[in-house]
Amino acid sequence: RRYLDYMAADVAQWDMLLSPNPFSTPIMRRAFGFAGEICETGYPRDDALVAGAAAADPATAVRQRLGLPPGKRVAIYVPTWRDNQHDASGRYLLDFRLDLAAASRRLGAEWVLLIRGHHLMAGGFPAATGGFAIDVTGYPDIGDLLLVADVLITDYSSVMFDFAPTGRPMLFFTYDLAQYRDQIRGFYFDFEAEAPGPLLATSDEVVAALAGIDSVAARYRQAAAAFAVRFCPLDDGKAAARAFDRIFGS
């Protein structure tokens, strides 16, 4: 109730809402109860990611800033929060189910795992294992982290829409899929049918998929392309320019 009251007060101050795509526009109007102007621009926040995905230099600089070992592939795990898991103060709790020790044993020679917690979550991650896992929750710009990521691991986070235009593979650690779908939040589209990567129920499945990521990516290439066409048609690196032109009338 507090969250809904906060959102209603916040929305009342909006003059314009930027929408990332035609699919989202009617959903955002309904979900936020916003009667004002909605401008379809794409995601301005992803311009640098889309433009940088084809360039080596920005990614190299970020890798150096993070201290990532040269030559290792990078996966990033970005889970979202669960409405039904929170402490007495209302902060959402982290339900961390990746077995980092097992992942390190199988993947540590080739991979580094970045872990990015949601800002609404309380608590940290398990201790990093032998330099394999790095907690990047405090890093200021997730766009940088996505730029250096070869693979995104998430669950139901909207980060999937940010990452999709890169064309890089995604894995979905959906250990609570039925509960999330039927009791917690649900989905605005047929997630199980349209997900641009495999839905994985256990930590072992995630590790195995990451170990065989090239074959996984090939298997989901068509689904990933269809996902990007439907949800990211305006993410061409020029979303900020479109927003600027509309806001400032250039």
Side-chain angles (χ1 to χ4, degrees), residues 41-211:
T41 61
Y43 271 141
R45 69 187 185 204
D46 289 336
D47 282 356
L49 172 61
V50 173
D57 288 346
T60 299
V62 175
R63 287 185 66 105
Q64 292 173 345
R65 197 174 305 137
L66 292 169
L68 301 180
K72 285 198 174 183
R73 303 172 84 177
V74 179
I76 184 169
Y77 178 41
V78 187
T80 193
W81 46 281
R82 306 295 195 270
D83 302 71
N84 64 334
Q85 298 181 25
H86 54 82
D87 61 19
S89 67
R91 291 195 66 191
Y92 296 99
L93 301 175
L94 173 64
D95 184 14
F96 192 84
R97 301 200 186 187
L98 278 180
D99 185 339
L100 293 183
S104 179
R105 285 193 298 270
R106 184 166 182 184
L107 304 170
E110 183 181 359
W111 289 88
V112 173
L113 177 66
L114 306 180
I115 306 174
R116 175 79 167 193
H118 196 283
H119 72 277
L120 292 178
M121 289 179 179
F125 297 101
T129 306
F132 166 71
I134 304 172
D135 185 350
V136 292
T137 302
Y139 190 88
D141 188 352
I142 193 174
D144 281 357
L145 304 176
L146 297 179
L147 183 62
V148 301
D150 298 294
V151 179
L152 170 68
I153 305 169
T154 186
D155 40 27
Y156 322 106
S157 171
S158 63
V159 73
M160 71 178 79
F161 302 105
D162 297 284
F163 198 69
T166 69
R168 298 169 188 167
M170 290 185 264
L171 305 176
F172 296 88
F173 188 20
T174 53
Y175 54 83
D176 58 348
L177 177 59
Q179 184 185 35
Y180 194 92
R181 180 193 62 217
D182 301 334
Q183 301 174 26
I184 300 179
R185 288 207 150 197
F187 303 105
Y188 285 117
F189 65 103
D190 191 343
F191 175 68
E192 293 167 77
E194 298 182 56
L199 307 184
L200 309 167
T202 68
S203 180
D204 287 345
E205 289 180 4
V206 174
V207 172
L210 194 55

Side-chain angles (χ1 to χ4, degrees), residues 12-34:
Q13 301 179 63
W14 297 356
D15 296 300
M16 181 190 298
L17 177 60
L18 299 184
S19 170
N21 53 59
F23 173 86
S24 297
T25 298
I27 294 173
M28 296 173 80
R29 183 175 295 285
R30 182 174 71 251
F32 290 116
F34 181 63

